[in-house]
Amino acid sequence: GAVVSQHPSWVICKSGTSVKIECRSLDFQATTMFWYRQFPKQSLMLMATSNEGSKATYEQGVEKDKFLINHASLTLSTLTVTSAHPEDSSFYICSAKRPLETGELFFGEGSRLTVL
Amino acid sequence: GQNIDQPTEMTATEGAIVQINCTYQTSGFNGLFWYQQHAGEAPTFLSYNVLDGLEEKGRFSSFLSRSKGYSYLLLKELQMKDSASYLCAAMDSNYQLIWGAGTKLIIKP
């Protein structure tokens, strides 16, 4: 079964509003989670690395004030797209790995955001 | 710089065998991953190689040559459900994944 759950799966919002996406690790404590964005027919683009209890590490070109990441507990990280615009419409995916393991990444189901 | 190369698209016939190649250049190396991604869904883990050689797992096998910076994913007895994108990703010395653009595999009856 799924070990990382992401919610919501689909969200449609008006331009200018904010949207929050949740990523939960279900059967392990994830000190680190990763947030990706994927545009149609393109590969995953790492947006940021979310660290429990500290600030997220953002990739170059990703706006920190626009994509707010909060990793308040060992099982939950949230991504908030603030003042969303149509160009923010994309597939957002989170992933996590078990602590002290360098292997498999477990992915959430993904969240498809459409900004009207 | 760090780079992953894999073909954009491949076509194969149901029941046949297909090999998807991946070459990588990373700062340090901590393993090579293959993921499968169906359209509109999140990636799912297929394999992880960190030592040279072939790892077989059912109909799927993955090969790694560290000296050549090369890996391939071999899919046997292809089924229509294998139509998907296959993502190659290499882990660098900082344990960060460097992702390829993915290979879209089209299976024809």
Side-chain angles (χ1 to χ4, degrees):
Chain A
V3 296
V4 175
S5 178
Q6 196 170 333
H7 176 81
S9 300
W10 296 84
V11 58
I12 301 173
C13 69
K14 293 181 179 180
S15 186
T17 61
S18 295
V19 174
K20 180 185 285 188
I21 301 170
E22 296 185 346
C23 180
R24 294 180 184 274
S25 57
L26 301 180
D27 66 349
F28 64 96
Q29 294 181 328
T31 53
T32 302
M33 290 184 175
F34 304 91
W35 286 97
Y36 299 85
R37 181 168 52 185
Q38 186 176 37
F39 292 106
K41 299 183 180 181
Q42 295 186 24
S43 188
L44 301 171
M45 291 175 51
L46 180 64
M47 299 176 65
T49 302
S50 172
N51 303 296
E52 188 271 335
S54 64
K55 292 182 179 180
T57 304
Y58 289 82
E59 295 300 302
Q60 190 173 8
V62 178
E63 300 176 57
K64 300 178 182 180
D65 295 333
K66 181 165 185 63
F67 298 99
L68 300 179
I69 291 173
N70 186 300
H71 196 151
S73 78
L74 287 170
T75 59
L76 174 64
S77 176
T78 61
L79 168 68
T80 301
V81 183
T82 62
S83 186
H85 290 283
E87 57 265 31
D88 297 324
S89 298
S90 185
F91 192 47
Y92 292 87
I93 310 173
C94 71
S95 71
K97 60 183 177 71
R98 296 184 187 277
L100 305 181
E101 292 184 14
T102 58
E104 180 180 355
L105 277 178
F106 299 93
F107 285 86
E109 301 92 333
S111 300
R112 184 163 300 283
L113 170 64
T114 301
V115 184
L116 302 176
Chain B
Q2 307 198 101
N3 191 52
I4 305 286
D5 283 318
Q6 56 180 128
T8 304
E9 187 174 297
M10 298 181 71
T11 302
T13 304
E14 189 177 15
I17 300 173
V18 70
Q19 177 174 311
I20 303 174
N21 296 323
C22 171
T23 57
Y24 63 89
Q25 290 178 305
T26 55
S27 301
F29 180 74
N30 280 299
L32 193 290
F33 295 80
W34 284 96
Y35 281 82
Q36 179 191 60
Q37 185 179 26
H38 286 99
E41 298 180 12
T44 55
F45 173 82
L46 290 178
S47 67
Y48 171 63
N49 294 65
V50 67
L51 300 176
D52 286 350
L54 186 68
E55 296 268 352
E56 297 186 69
K57 192 184 293 185
R59 294 190 298 116
F60 293 7
S61 303
S62 56
F63 172 83
L64 175 67
S65 170
R66 296 181 62 150
S67 61
K68 296 181 179 178
Y70 167 69
S71 172
Y72 68 72
L73 180 69
L74 189 71
L75 293 78
K76 302 177 183 177
E77 301 171 16
L78 287 171
Q79 302 175 10
M80 297 303 293
K81 67 178 182 180
D82 297 329
S83 292
S85 287
Y86 291 85
L87 308 176
C88 172
M91 184 172 280
D92 67 12
S93 57
N94 294 319
Y95 297 100
Q96 297 297 315
L97 279 179
I98 312 302
W99 292 88
T103 298
K104 182 178 180 181
L105 178 63
I106 300 169
I107 309 297
K108 294 185 176 180

